[in-house]
C-alpha cells in the first residue's frame, strides 16, 4: 500500500479523535464527528480502489505463471523430439528458452505472494476503518443525546454527560500501530567489470545448456 494512504488512515484513527475532543469545548462535536465519518468513507473507498489493483496484479501474475509453465512443458516435449531426430541445434535453442523461463518463474511467484500479502493487509485496513466508523457513529449518537439534555436544562448529574463522552473518546485506542518499512540496497559496478561479468555469465549459461543437452541425450539413450 502507498505510504501516503497508510499515513492518512493512521491520521483518521488517531488525529481525528483528538480534534473531536478539542471541538467539545467549542460546542460543535456533531459537525466534527460527521466530517470524520465522511473522511472514513472516503478512506475506505481509496483502500477498495487499491485492493482492486492488487487483485488485478495477482490475476495477471498468476496467468503469466501458468502460461510460462505451459511453455516450459511444451519445450520439454520439443526437446525430446529434437534429440530423437539428432537435431542438437534445435534442442539447444529450446533448452536456452527453458532456462530463460526458469529464471522468470521465481519472480512471478514472488509477485503473486506479494499481491496476496497486500490483499490481506488491505482487507484488514477496510475492516479497521469500518469498525472505526461504527464507533464514531455511536459516539455521535451519544453527543446528540448529551446536547439534547443540555438544551432541556440538565440536572447536576446530567451535566457531566458530555465530558464523560469526551473522556471515552479521549481513551479510544489507535487501530493502526504498524509501521511499514521497506529498504533497498542499490549496487553499482564499473562498465569494465560489468562487461566481464556479462561474459562470464554467458559462458556459464552455455555450459549449463550443454550439460542439460548431454543429460537429455543420455536419458534418451541416443
Amino acid at each position: 500500500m502507498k505510504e501516503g494512504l497508510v499515513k492518512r488512515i493512521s491520521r483518521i484513527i488517531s488525529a481525528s479523535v483528538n480534534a473531536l475532543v478539542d471541538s467539545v469545548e467549542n460546542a460543535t462535536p456533531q459537525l466534527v464527528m460527521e466530517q470524520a465519518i465522511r473522511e472514513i468513507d472516503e478512506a475506505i473507498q481509496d483502500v477498495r480502489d487499491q485492493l482492486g489493483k492488487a487483485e488485478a496484479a495477482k490475476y495477471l501474475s498468476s496467468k503469466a505463471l501458468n502460461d510460462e509453465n505451459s511453455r516450459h512443458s511444451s519445450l520439454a516435449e520439443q526437446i525430446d523430439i529434437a534429440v530423437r531426430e539428432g537435431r542438437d541445434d534445435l534442442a539447444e535453442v529450446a533448452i536456452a528458452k527453458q532456462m530463460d523461463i526458469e529464471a522468470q518463474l521465481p519472480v512471478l511467484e514472488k509477485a503473486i505472494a506479494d499481491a496476496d500479502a497486500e490483499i490481506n493487509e488491505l482487507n484488514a485496513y477496510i475492516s479497521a476503518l469500518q469498525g472505526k466508523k461504527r464507533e464514531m457513529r455511536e459516539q455521535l449518537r451519544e453527543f446528540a443525546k448529551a446536547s439534547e439534555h443540555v438544551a432541556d436544562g440538565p440536572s447536576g448529574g446530567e451535566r457531566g454527560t458530555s465530558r464523560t463522552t469526551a473522556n471515552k473518546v479521549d481513551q479510544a485506542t489507535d487501530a493502526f500501530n504498524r509501521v511499514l518499512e521497506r529498504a533497498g540496497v542499490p549496487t553499482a559496478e564499473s562498465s569494465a567489470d560489468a562487461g566481464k561479468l556479462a561474459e562470464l555469465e554467458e559462458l556459464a549459461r552455455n555450459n549449463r545448456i550443454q550439460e542439460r543437452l548431454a543429460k537429455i541425450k543420455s536419458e534418451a539413450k541416443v
Side-chain angles (χ1 to χ4, degrees):
M1 184 193 295
K2 294 181 180 179
E3 184 178 358
L5 184 55
V6 174
K7 288 182 178 179
R8 181 185 174 196
I9 294 173
S10 298
R11 178 179 59 78
I12 289 173
I13 299 300
S14 58
S16 62
V17 173
N18 296 330
L20 174 61
V21 174
D22 292 340
S23 73
V24 173
E25 302 300 330
N26 299 325
T28 58
Q30 290 91 338
L31 295 178
V32 176
M33 292 183 112
E34 288 169 359
Q35 175 58 38
I37 291 173
R38 285 194 294 271
E39 190 169 357
I40 290 174
D41 284 333
E42 293 174 1
I44 289 175
Q45 184 57 52
D46 288 344
V47 177
R48 288 192 186 280
D49 291 342
Q50 192 70 21
L51 178 60
K53 294 177 182 178
E55 290 174 338
K58 178 184 176 182
Y59 170 79
L60 293 175
S61 295
S62 298
K63 185 177 184 302
L65 180 62
N66 290 333
D67 290 345
E68 292 303 309
N69 278 322
S70 296
R71 289 178 61 199
H72 192 280
S73 298
S74 296
L75 285 168
E77 296 175 359
Q78 294 170 9
I79 290 170
D80 288 338
I81 294 173
V83 169
R84 286 197 298 270
E85 295 295 327
R87 295 296 304 274
D88 288 2
D89 58 328
L90 297 179
E92 289 177 3
V93 172
I95 290 173
K97 192 60 182 177
Q98 271 191 328
M99 292 171 64
D100 288 340
I101 292 173
E102 289 164 6
Q104 298 175 43
L105 295 182
V107 177
L108 292 171
E109 290 169 351
K110 185 177 185 304
I112 293 171
D114 289 346
D116 264 331
E118 184 177 6
I119 288 170
N120 291 334
E121 181 183 38
L122 291 168
N123 280 321
Y125 273 105
I126 290 173
S127 295
L129 285 168
Q130 288 173 334
K132 187 62 180 179
K133 180 179 177 181
R134 288 190 292 270
E135 176 187 330
M136 294 290 286
R137 280 179 170 171
E138 179 59 30
Q139 291 167 353
L140 179 58
R141 284 193 291 269
E142 290 182 8
F143 271 114
K145 291 179 181 178
S147 298
E148 290 176 2
H149 288 312
V150 171
D152 292 339
S155 63
E158 291 173 328
R159 289 192 184 97
T161 303
S162 181
R163 176 51 52 193
T164 299
T165 305
N167 289 337
K168 289 181 181 179
V169 175
D170 193 35
Q171 295 170 1
T173 58
D174 188 355
F176 296 95
N177 293 320
R178 283 182 297 176
V179 176
L180 303 180
E181 294 181 353
R182 294 181 180 176
V185 182
T187 58
E189 300 170 346
S190 68
S191 58
D193 288 343
K196 291 179 180 179
L197 288 174
E199 183 179 358
L200 179 60
E201 173 60 25
E202 184 64 21
L203 286 173
R205 185 170 182 273
N206 289 335
N207 186 59
R208 292 196 300 272
I209 290 173
Q210 294 300 324
E211 288 178 350
R212 186 177 296 191
L213 175 60
K215 180 180 180 182
I216 292 172
K217 293 176 69 174
S218 175
E219 292 174 350
K221 295 181 181 180
V222 175

